[in-house]
Structure formats: structure tokens, C-alpha cells
């Protein structure tokens, strides 16, 4: 897939009934892409740049950006976070806002996940255009209009701003730490699950779904998989396929106006790991690495789900015996203060309502064959996910990244973290959540 496919996407009336648009004006993914910055700045008629980076990303690409601006007589002010490992939270956003120079009329972020998320928020607050110079093909938030942040101890997606310009300089991207290349590929692998769960939710809850948006993701994922063998050698085609796929994933979220095309229960597993790390100091890994490992786990669960059929009486008995009060206490003990927002969400959503459950259950039973078709069509078997991870020498088991413990409760908690209908909620609805999680080998 070329990026032109993405640009052409919004020009066609879609049968889903929604108007698809993305505010991204340019995505320049090529060698020496940083040299194109002055032309982009001139196109937006900007006069002075505010540069946001951290100590690592500034050394990787920031110095070159500053040199290019100086060569073209473009003034700038820079704020470089003194550390290279920044928490995406209120403190980091506040620091960026406090260091912002109000004489600037353009924000340029230099980095990947955290810097981009903070830059998008800063641009949204100031109402200015926003460019991001990517330093690693490590996550899919480059082109999204949201920022993945930790707020009050909970991982949340805040509405922010889609970048106006994305610069992906292949010479920079291919030299990113190898773990970050693997993380980007892992974030793309997660799309197998996200598309499947989007379709399943559409069947069960009536949630909006667009197959044209889904096909953008499928094709971008195919390109990544087809080029996967070259990633370890930092081959330009493989690096470009991952970065383009991640950009397309972000654009797809803008097209759909929801995050569904790019994340499902595997992302929620990663979010819970992050929340526990923040609260209790437990281990965590790069988001894309966690998502890759979680995708392998989830693929195994879906394989098992494909082989069963829902039993109405068993499901009703399971739900009738479920105590939300007891679960809420366990959730607070497991997640910490972040559980407060999850419990507040349930008060608004009411997913544990007996009446709402019975309605969903009837729909699930009626559409079970369709649900099985979606699983078969969208999600490869676990051994195929593991083969792809082996191909890039990436971790494939929770124990490989020190996160094998407590995975059962982590999976339970995924049904509460947001309001999406994901695998853990489907298993709860059909009364098989405990059986699936207790029996599966998470080692």
C-alpha cells in the first residue's frame, strides 16, 4: 500500500454513512525527509518554531532539525526534556506548557510515542499547527488525533490533535534501537485482533463499523508481514513498511473517529501492565513489545473460542453468581488508584446489568456462526503469530518479558479499562471467562 491510497480514501463516498477525513496534510517517508521541513513550514506560513524533544531524540534527529532550520534562516526555540525516559502524564504536559514560547507559531515534536503525545496536546492547547519528526517506527500514534496518557493513574486516550505533517526520515528510522523496530512491528501485529473485535462488537452491540477503514489496516499489515524478514537487518523496505503501517493505523482511527481500527484487548493487557508498573513498580516493556506478546496470548484464546458454542443456561448461571462488589474490591487491590476511574466507567456504562447481559447473550447465540467466521477470517493461529515474532527475534511469551505472573487477573481487568466490547467481555457474557483464563498456559 502506498500513502496515496490513504490520501485518496477520504475522496470517496463511503457506504458506512460517515464522512472520512484526516487533518494530516503530508506524510513524508523517505531518505533525507528532514530536508523537506523548510518547505512544509513555508506552506503553513509559519515564522518561528517551538521544538519539543527529549535528550535522546534530540541527539538522534533534533540537532539535524536545528541545523536545517538555521540553514534556511528559520528561528526556533527548543525545550529538551532532560531525561530520555519520560512518563506521559500531567507533570510532563505541564512542563511542556510552562516552557512554551508564545512568540512561536508552530510546534515540532522530535521523537516517537511520548514526545508525540505531549506535542499533540501542546499543539491542541495552543491552537497551532503541529509537525512530528519521527525517530523510531515504534507505535501507531503518529497520525492519530488522540494522545495515550496516564491521568490520575489510569491509561487514557485524550483528544488532542492529529499532526499536520509527519516526517519519517528513513536514515533516522532504520537506525533506531532494534527493540523499537520490533515494538512497531508488534503494534502492527495487534491489528489482527483489533479488526476482529471491531467486527464482533458490530455484530453483538451494533457498534459502528466500516470495512473500508478495516481494509486499510489489513493491507498495511500485509505489507509489514511480507517485509518482516528484513527488519532485523534494518532493510529500508521493512522499516518503511512498518512506519507507513503505523501512520496508516493512526489515520484509520481519524477516519473512523474511534480507536477501534488499531487496538483491542491486546492493547488493554498492555495498558494494565503499564498501570500496575506505575502504581506498584512492577516490570513493564515497550508498548509494542507488550502488545506483540499479548497478541500471541489472545490468538490462543480465540483459537479455543472458535471450538466452543455458547450455552445459555451456563452463561446465565455464571452471570447470576458474579458479584461486582467483590470484583471491584479485587480490581482496586490489583490496579491501585487507577481502578477508581474504571469503576466510575461501569457506573455510566452498566455492562454488568443482568438485563443488558441477557440481551447481548441472545444476540451472541443467534450470531455465533458469524462470530466464528470473523475469528477464522481475521486472526491467525497462535503458532503463526509466534512464527512472525521468531522471524524478528522478538519476545513471544509473557515470561520472556517478566510479565507471566498475574496475567490471569490482568486479563480479567481488561473488560473494565474502557468501554469497548473485547474478548474478555465476550467470554464473561457466555460464562467462560474463568475457565478460559484458568486453563490457558501463560508461561
Amino acid at each position: 500500500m502506498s500513502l496515496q491510497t490513504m490520501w485518496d480514501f477520504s475522496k470517496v463516498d463511503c457506504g458506512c454513512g460517515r464522512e472520512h477525513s484526516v487533518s494530516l496534510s503530508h506524510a513524508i517517508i523517505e531518505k533525507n525527509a528532514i530536508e523537506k521541513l523548510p518547505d512544509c513550514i513555508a506552506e503553513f506560513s509559519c515564522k518561528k518554531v517551538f521544538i519539543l524533544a527529549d535528550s535522546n531524540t534530540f541527539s538522534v534527529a533534533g540537532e539535524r532539525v536545528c541545523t536545517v532550520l538555521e540553514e534556511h534562516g528559520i528561528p526556533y526555540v527548543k525545550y529538551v526534556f532532560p531525561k530520555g525516559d519520560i512518563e506521559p502524564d500531567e507533570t510532563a504536559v505541564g512542563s511542556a506548557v510552562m516552557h512554551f514560547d508564545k512568540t512561536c507559531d508552530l510546534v515540532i515534536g522530535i521523537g516517537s510515542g511520548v514526545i508525540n503525545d505531549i506535542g499533540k496536546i501542546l499543539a491542541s492547547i495552543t491552537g497551532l499547527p503541529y509537525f512530528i519528526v519521527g525517530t523510531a517506527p515504534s507505535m501507531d500514534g503518529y497520525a492519530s488525533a488522540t494522545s495515550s496518557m496516564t491521568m490520575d493513574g489510569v491509561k487514557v486516550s485524550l483528544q488532542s490533535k492529529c499532526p499536520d505533517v509527519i516526517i519519517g526520515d528513513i536514515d533516522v528510522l532504520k537506525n533506531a534501537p532494534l527493540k523499537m523496530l520490533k515494538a512497531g512491528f508488534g503494534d502492527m501485529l495487534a491489528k489482527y485482533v483489533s479488526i476482529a473485535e471491531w467486527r464482533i462488537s458490530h455484530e453483538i452491540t451494533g457498534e459502528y463499523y466500516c470495512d473500508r477503514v478495516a481494509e486499510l489496516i489489513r493491507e498495511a499489515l500485509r505489507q509489514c508481514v511480507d517485509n518482516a524478514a528484513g527488519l532485523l537487518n534494518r532493510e529500508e523496505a521493512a522499516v518503511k513498511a512498518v512506519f507507513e503501517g503505523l501512520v496508516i493505523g493512526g489515520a484509520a482511527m481519524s477516519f473512523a473517529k474511534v480507536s477501534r481500527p488499531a487496538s483491542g484487548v491486546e492493547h488493554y493487557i498492555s495498558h494494565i501492565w503499564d498501570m500496575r508498573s506505575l502504581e506498584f513498580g512492577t516490570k513493564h516493556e515497550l508498548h509494542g513489545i507488550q502488545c506483540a506478546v499479548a497478541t500471541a496470548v489472545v490468538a490462543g484464546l480465540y483459537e479455543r473460542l472458535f471450538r466452543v458454542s455458547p450455552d445459555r443456561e451456563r452463561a446465565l448461571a455464571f452471570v447470576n453468581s458474579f458479584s461486582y462488589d467483590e470484583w471491584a474490591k479485587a480490581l482496586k487491590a490489583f490496579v491501585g488508584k487507577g481502578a477508581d476511574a474504571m469503576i466510575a466507567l461501569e457506573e455510566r456504562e452498566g455492562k454488568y446489568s443482568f438485563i443488558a447481559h441477557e440481551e447481548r447473550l441472545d444476540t451472541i447465540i443467534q450470531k455465533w456462526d458469524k462470530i466464528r467466521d470473523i475469528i477464522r477470517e481475521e486472526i491467525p493461529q497462535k503458532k503463526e503469530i509466534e512464527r512472525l515474532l521468531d522471524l524478528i527475534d522478538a519476545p513471544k511469551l509473557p515470561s520472556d518479558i517478566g510479565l507471566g505472573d498475574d496475567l490471569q487477573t490482568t486479563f480479567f481487568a481488561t473488560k473494565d479499562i474502557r468501554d469497548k466490547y473485547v474478548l474478555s467481555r465476550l467470554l464473561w457474557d457466555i460464562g467462560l471467562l474463568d475457565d478460559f483464563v484458568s486453563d490457558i498456559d501463560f508461561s
Side-chain angles (χ1 to χ4, degrees):
M1 171 183 290
S2 68
L3 286 172
Q4 188 60 45
T5 305
M6 185 181 75
W7 300 128
D8 292 342
F9 188 87
S10 60
K11 300 175 184 177
V12 178
D13 290 336
C14 188
C16 76
R18 286 194 181 180
E19 180 181 343
H20 298 306
S21 63
V22 62
S23 60
L24 177 65
S25 297
H26 300 291
I28 304 172
I29 306 172
E30 59 190 45
K31 292 174 72 68
N32 299 315
I34 288 175
E35 309 298 323
K36 301 289 182 68
L37 267 174
D39 291 339
C40 295
I41 293 171
E43 184 175 328
F44 280 79
S45 301
C46 295
K47 305 300 182 184
K48 188 175 181 181
V49 176
F50 182 77
I51 293 174
L52 186 70
D54 65 36
S55 57
N56 291 335
T57 63
F58 188 76
S59 64
V60 167
E63 292 176 357
R64 181 58 190 155
V65 168
C66 291
T67 298
V68 168
L69 296 182
E70 290 166 4
E71 289 173 347
H72 288 79
I74 301 171
Y76 63 87
V77 175
K78 68 178 186 291
Y79 174 59
V80 180
F81 285 96
K83 296 191 302 180
D85 186 15
I86 311 163
E87 287 295 334
D89 57 16
E90 300 95 332
T91 300
V93 171
S95 183
V97 171
M98 292 177 69
H99 285 89
F100 176 72
D101 188 322
K102 293 182 179 179
T103 65
C104 296
D105 56 1
L106 169 66
V107 177
I108 297 182
I110 301 172
S112 56
V114 176
I115 287 293
N116 187 45
D117 283 332
I118 296 171
K120 288 189 288 187
I121 292 175
L122 179 61
S124 177
I125 291 171
T126 59
L128 297 180
Y130 177 61
F131 297 1
I132 177 67
V133 177
T135 54
S138 55
M139 52 87 221
D140 63 4
Y142 279 111
S144 75
T146 60
S147 292
S148 181
M149 304 296 291
T150 301
M151 186 172 70
D152 297 329
V154 182
K155 294 293 290 188
V156 297
S157 289
L158 297 180
Q159 196 67 30
S160 53
K161 176 180 173 61
C162 177
D164 297 285
V165 174
I166 295 174
I167 301 291
D169 194 315
I170 297 298
D171 289 328
V172 173
L173 297 174
K174 73 178 184 181
N175 289 311
L178 198 54
K179 181 185 282 191
M180 299 188 84
L181 302 183
K182 296 176 184 181
F185 186 83
D187 208 338
M188 287 302 298
L189 279 186
K191 292 1 174 198
Y192 284 126
V193 176
S194 64
I195 295 301
E197 292 188 333
W198 195 16
R199 291 181 64 189
I200 290 170
S201 180
H202 174 68
E203 295 296 332
I204 296 173
T205 71
E207 179 185 350
Y208 160 80
Y209 169 76
C210 176
D211 199 58
R212 287 184 68 234
V213 173
E215 187 56 30
L216 280 177
I217 296 292
R218 294 188 191 103
E219 179 56 27
L221 179 52
R222 282 191 286 267
Q223 291 294 322
C224 289
V225 169
D226 289 347
N227 288 279
L231 200 61
L232 279 180
N233 295 325
R234 304 178 184 274
E235 293 179 10
E236 292 182 5
V239 173
K240 185 175 183 179
V242 171
F243 192 77
E244 284 192 353
L246 295 168
V247 169
I248 289 168
M253 289 187 271
S254 292
F255 287 143
K257 297 179 176 61
V258 291
S259 62
R260 270 295 192 183
S263 68
V265 72
E266 78 298 321
H267 270 60
Y268 287 5
I269 291 172
S270 179
H271 290 337
I272 294 293
W273 281 334
D274 288 344
M275 290 168 66
R276 281 179 51 75
S277 177
L278 190 66
E279 180 78 7
F280 304 115
T282 55
K283 290 183 179 180
H284 74 287
E285 254 294 354
L286 290 177
H287 171 70
I289 297 292
Q290 292 182 167
C291 285
V293 169
T295 297
V297 170
V298 171
L301 289 171
Y302 270 112
E303 277 185 59
R304 182 176 175 188
L305 181 63
F306 183 84
R307 297 192 296 267
V308 306
S309 295
D311 182 306
R312 193 174 193 278
E313 296 307 314
R314 175 174 181 165
L316 291 174
F318 172 83
V319 169
N320 286 333
S321 67
F322 177 80
S323 169
Y324 180 71
D325 289 340
E326 290 181 8
W327 168 240
K329 292 177 183 177
L331 190 62
K332 285 185 176 182
F334 186 69
V335 178
K337 62 178 178 292
D340 293 338
M342 298 161 76
I343 293 168
L345 174 65
E346 169 55 21
E347 292 177 358
R348 298 192 300 272
E349 188 187 13
K351 61 178 170 288
Y352 293 110
S353 158
F354 290 161
I355 295 174
H357 165 256
E358 194 163 0
E359 291 175 352
R360 289 194 305 270
L361 180 60
D362 288 341
T363 301
I364 291 166
I365 293 171
Q366 177 187 353
K367 295 189 174 184
W368 191 247
D369 287 343
K370 177 64 174 177
I371 293 169
R372 293 178 75 248
D373 287 343
I374 292 170
I375 296 170
R376 184 183 65 248
E377 292 164 6
E378 301 288 359
I379 304 179
Q381 292 189 342
K382 182 180 182 180
K383 64 181 180 182
E384 173 61 12
I385 300 295
E386 292 179 337
R387 183 191 72 82
L388 291 169
L389 293 175
D390 281 337
L391 198 61
I392 64 167
D393 193 28
K396 58 186 179 182
L397 299 173
S399 56
D400 291 340
I401 55 175
L403 290 167
D405 296 338
D406 295 321
L407 187 52
Q408 294 180 357
T409 310
T410 296
F411 189 78
F412 289 152
T414 60
K415 60 185 169 41
D416 295 88
I417 193 169
R418 304 241 177 97
D419 57 357
K420 287 182 189 173
Y421 194 85
V422 294
L423 176 60
S424 49
R425 291 184 58 176
L426 174 56
L427 290 173
W428 187 87
D429 275 347
I430 61 177
L432 293 177
L433 181 60
D434 289 352
D435 290 350
F436 269 55
V437 176
S438 63
D439 291 347
I440 196 167
D441 178 12
F442 288 128
S443 63

